[in-house]
């Protein structure tokens, strides 16, 4: 009946035949199509198939047809004005038409959470979920896309920091927010001119790298620790991770006896298994202490495919594997905290095993290229972030050099 098209956006009148009304007619709507997505705006006019066909053919001019044309012109003019300013979005159009947009940041994030859950992207699932919880803690359960400005994001950042979040955590939350806003622009819920990130907008803070390495003396005390069997088991998992090139728990808990080749443990990091450039095999010498830990806590070897440790079954899907690893890591961190308290050491976590491996290697003369290969990093710069620098012992030993004038 009426149609308008410009810059990839079309506005037209349609008879919505999906549902017949009680009066035997169908609602006439204005259809707006953009990026292969449709939005419908009801005109308040109903027509039968016969009335629609006659009106479309121009056979009869009625008051209903005038009402449809008037509403169509209103929608078309709003679209044309936004196109002239290069700021079109479905959300802005609905606001201009007096329809508050019900799809907001909260719902968009919940949609992403559900999408991650269905696709088995469990780490992303927890990242989006945690971001949403803390976002709603700051701004409530109904956050409009248009309310997110650079100033709003800066205030949110300050709120999270005051709430005890680390710079790394805030950086993760903001990057998650950025991905949601990117999708909002892509799907038309936010105009590109209102996008709050990027040049001239909000800049995501850089994450801080905590130096989590233990000293050799602390590791020695940890290995010599004697206590309840449960604490010793989780201590041994940390020690195994440390000795096995700082292997993360996700990879360690799913090691199989077939991964032991010629006295070495060979594995591919799950984190980079599908990375560009192909798989990178990491090799770690099976030290006597590692063999002792396997003997104490591992499964009996019945076949090459037998898992080394007893925690996983090997049949878990991605979601199940992630949940298993999170539970073990949580219990291990609790045990490590208790051990550190008993030994009078600073608290540390499973992640510190990786930093400790890299730093101890460096302090004992290993080159960064070798350490990088052991960690499975893609660049030397990435490895350098794991190195904790020099400790107090080195500083005390070198301080006298400043005044040694002989």
């Amino acid at each position: 009946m009426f149609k308008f098209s410009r810059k990839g956006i079309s506005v037209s009148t349609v008879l919505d035949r999906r549902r017949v009304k009680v009066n035997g007619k169908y609602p006439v709507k204005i259809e707006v199509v953009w990026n292969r997505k449709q939005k419908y705006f009801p005109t308040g006019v109903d027509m039968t198939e016969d009335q629609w066909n006659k009106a479309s053919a121009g056979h009869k001019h009625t008051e209903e047809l005038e009402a449809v044309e008037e509403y169509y012109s209103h929608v078309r003019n709003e679209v044309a004005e936004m196109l002239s300013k290069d700021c079109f979005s479905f959300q802005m159009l609905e606001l201009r038409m007096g329809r508050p947009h019900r799809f907001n940041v909260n719902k968009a994030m919940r949609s992403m959470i559900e999408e991650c859950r269905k696709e088995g992207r469990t780490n992303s699932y927890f990242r989006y979920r945690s971001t949403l919880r803390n976002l709603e803690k700051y701004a409530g359960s109904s956050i409009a896309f248009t309310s997110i400005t650079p100033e709003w994001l800066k205030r949110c950042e300050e709120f999270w920091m005051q709430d005890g979040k680390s710079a790394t955590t805030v950086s993760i939350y903001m990057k998650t927010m950025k991905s949601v806003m990117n999708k909002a622009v892509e799907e038309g819920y936010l105009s590109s001119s209102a996008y709050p990130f990027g040049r001239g907008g909000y800049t995501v803070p850089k994450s801080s790298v905590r130096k989590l390495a233990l000293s050799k003396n602390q590791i020695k005390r940890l290995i010599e620790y004697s206590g309840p069997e449960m604490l010793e088991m989780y201590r041994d998992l940390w020690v195994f991770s440390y000795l096995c090139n700082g292997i993360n728990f996700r990879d360690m808990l799913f090691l199989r006896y077939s991964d032991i080749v010629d006295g070495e443990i060979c594995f591919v990091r799950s984190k980079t298994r599908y990375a560009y450039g192909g798989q990178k095999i990491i090799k770690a010498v099976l030290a006597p202490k590692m063999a002792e830990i396997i003997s104490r806590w591992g499964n009996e070897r019945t076949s090459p495919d037998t898992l080394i440790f007893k925690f996983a079954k090997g049949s878990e899907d991605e979601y199940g594997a992630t949940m298993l690893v999170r539970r073990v890591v949580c219990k291990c961190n609790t045990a490590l905290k208790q051990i550190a308290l008993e030994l009078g050491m600073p608290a540390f976590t499973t992640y510190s095993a990786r930093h400790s491996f890299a730093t101890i290697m460096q302090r004992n003369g290993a080159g960064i290229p070798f350490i990088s290969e052991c960690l499975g990093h893609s660049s030397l710069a990435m490895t350098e972030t794991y190195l904790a620098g020099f400790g107090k012992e080195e500083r005390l030993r070198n301080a006298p050099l400043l005044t040694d004038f002989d």
Side-chain angles (χ1 to χ4, degrees):
M1 190 184 297
F2 304 111
K3 188 163 186 176
F4 163 86
S5 180
R6 185 181 298 173
K7 294 184 178 180
I9 300 175
S10 66
V11 182
S12 59
T13 50
V14 296
L15 187 67
D16 188 354
R17 299 178 176 85
R18 294 174 297 180
R19 179 177 60 86
V20 64
K21 303 183 78 171
V22 177
N23 58 13
K25 299 180 179 180
Y26 298 98
V28 178
K29 296 181 179 180
I30 309 300
E31 180 189 61
V32 181
V33 182
W34 180 48
N35 286 344
R36 298 182 181 180
K37 296 184 182 295
Q38 301 87 25
K39 288 289 179 182
Y40 295 94
F41 296 84
T43 63
V45 174
D46 300 329
M47 290 186 179
T48 62
E49 284 276 8
D50 185 57
Q51 289 173 326
W52 171 258
N53 292 332
K54 288 180 179 179
S56 299
H59 293 163
K60 190 175 182 181
H61 195 77
T62 63
E63 290 184 3
E64 288 85 355
L65 188 57
E66 288 181 1
V68 170
E69 184 176 7
E70 182 179 352
Y71 195 75
Y72 161 79
S73 298
H74 183 27
V75 175
R76 182 198 61 195
N77 292 339
E78 293 291 350
V79 170
E81 184 178 347
M82 282 190 284
L83 286 176
S84 68
K85 297 178 181 179
D86 194 28
C87 65
F88 178 83
S89 74
F90 281 134
Q91 183 186 28
M92 289 300 295
L93 177 59
E94 291 194 323
L95 291 173
R96 282 170 172 258
M97 297 303 297
R99 290 173 57 184
H101 204 289
R102 295 179 181 179
F103 192 69
N104 54 29
V105 175
N106 312 69
K107 290 183 178 180
M109 201 163 287
R110 288 193 179 89
S111 175
M112 294 295 289
I113 290 170
E114 182 61 19
E115 182 179 312
C116 291
R117 187 190 67 78
K118 289 181 178 178
E119 295 178 358
R121 294 186 287 126
T122 46
N123 288 326
S124 296
Y125 167 84
F126 286 110
R127 175 167 53 85
Y128 277 106
R129 193 177 72 167
S130 181
T131 301
L132 177 60
R133 285 178 177 175
N134 285 278
L135 191 65
E136 292 186 337
K137 189 175 181 180
Y138 170 66
S141 59
S142 183
I143 308 168
F145 285 107
T146 51
S147 69
I148 311 296
T149 64
E151 295 75 20
W152 189 99
L153 290 168
K154 188 63 181 175
R155 292 194 300 271
C156 183
E157 174 191 326
E158 292 170 356
F159 172 84
W160 283 338
M161 294 295 287
Q162 292 172 5
D163 195 41
K165 302 295 184 293
S166 67
T168 298
T169 299
V170 172
S171 177
I172 291 171
Y173 288 168
M174 286 302 183
K175 287 177 181 177
T176 306
M177 277 288 294
K178 186 176 181 180
S179 67
V180 171
M181 300 300 278
N182 285 340
K183 192 167 185 179
V185 171
E186 179 185 330
E187 296 186 349
Y189 294 108
L190 182 71
S191 66
S192 56
S193 61
Y195 183 68
F197 293 90
R199 183 176 297 180
Y202 175 80
T203 301
V204 175
K206 292 184 178 180
S207 59
S208 61
V209 179
R210 294 177 60 199
K211 305 304 183 181
L212 302 169
L214 272 63
S215 68
K216 258 185 157 182
N217 179 58
Q218 289 172 327
I219 295 172
K220 180 175 182 293
R221 292 170 60 200
L222 180 63
I223 291 175
E224 294 174 347
Y225 168 81
S226 178
E229 185 177 75
M230 190 63 66
L231 294 186
E232 289 188 2
M233 180 185 70
Y234 286 117
R235 179 274 315 272
D236 282 350
L237 289 181
W238 188 97
V239 173
F240 190 97
S241 172
Y242 163 69
L243 294 174
C244 193
N245 293 15
I247 187 173
N248 68 42
F249 272 50
R250 172 65 175 82
D251 297 324
M252 183 175 71
L253 297 182
F254 286 88
L255 285 174
R256 299 178 185 273
Y257 279 101
S258 58
D259 295 323
I260 301 177
V261 182
D262 294 332
E264 292 185 311
I265 292 182
C266 307
F267 65 96
V268 176
R269 293 182 71 194
S270 57
K271 184 177 181 180
T272 59
R273 185 162 293 154
Y274 304 106
Y276 178 77
Q279 297 183 352
K280 190 172 186 178
I281 298 175
I282 301 171
K283 298 181 179 181
V285 173
L286 182 62
K289 185 64 180 177
M290 294 165 67
E292 178 188 322
I293 292 171
I294 292 174
S295 176
R296 188 177 184 189
W297 307 112
N299 286 309
E300 181 182 350
R301 178 171 182 166
T302 56
S303 76
D305 286 334
T306 303
L307 291 170
I308 290 178
F309 292 106
K310 299 179 179 180
F311 299 92
K313 294 180 180 179
S315 58
E316 293 86 353
D317 59 15
E318 189 59 34
Y319 181 81
T322 300
M323 292 302 295
L324 168 73
V325 174
R326 288 173 71 92
R327 285 195 298 270
V328 174
V329 167
C330 181
K331 291 179 179 179
C332 190
N333 284 337
T334 300
L336 294 174
K337 185 177 181 180
Q338 178 62 35
I339 294 172
L341 184 64
E342 292 183 28
L343 295 178
M345 291 166 45
F348 61 99
T349 66
T350 58
Y351 197 56
S352 62
R354 191 166 176 80
H355 285 266
S356 298
F357 167 82
T359 302
I360 296 298
M361 278 288 182
Q362 183 200 36
R363 290 177 181 174
N364 283 272
I368 292 180
F370 172 78
I371 299 172
S372 183
E373 181 177 315
C374 289
L375 293 174
H377 283 164
S378 58
S379 69
L380 299 184
M382 187 182 298
T383 305
E384 289 172 348
T385 66
Y386 276 81
L387 302 177
F390 296 99
K392 185 177 181 180
E393 293 175 0
E394 287 83 1
R395 291 194 293 274
L396 288 173
R397 184 169 63 250
N398 291 319
L401 296 176
L402 297 174
T403 54
D404 184 2
F405 302 115
D406 294 333

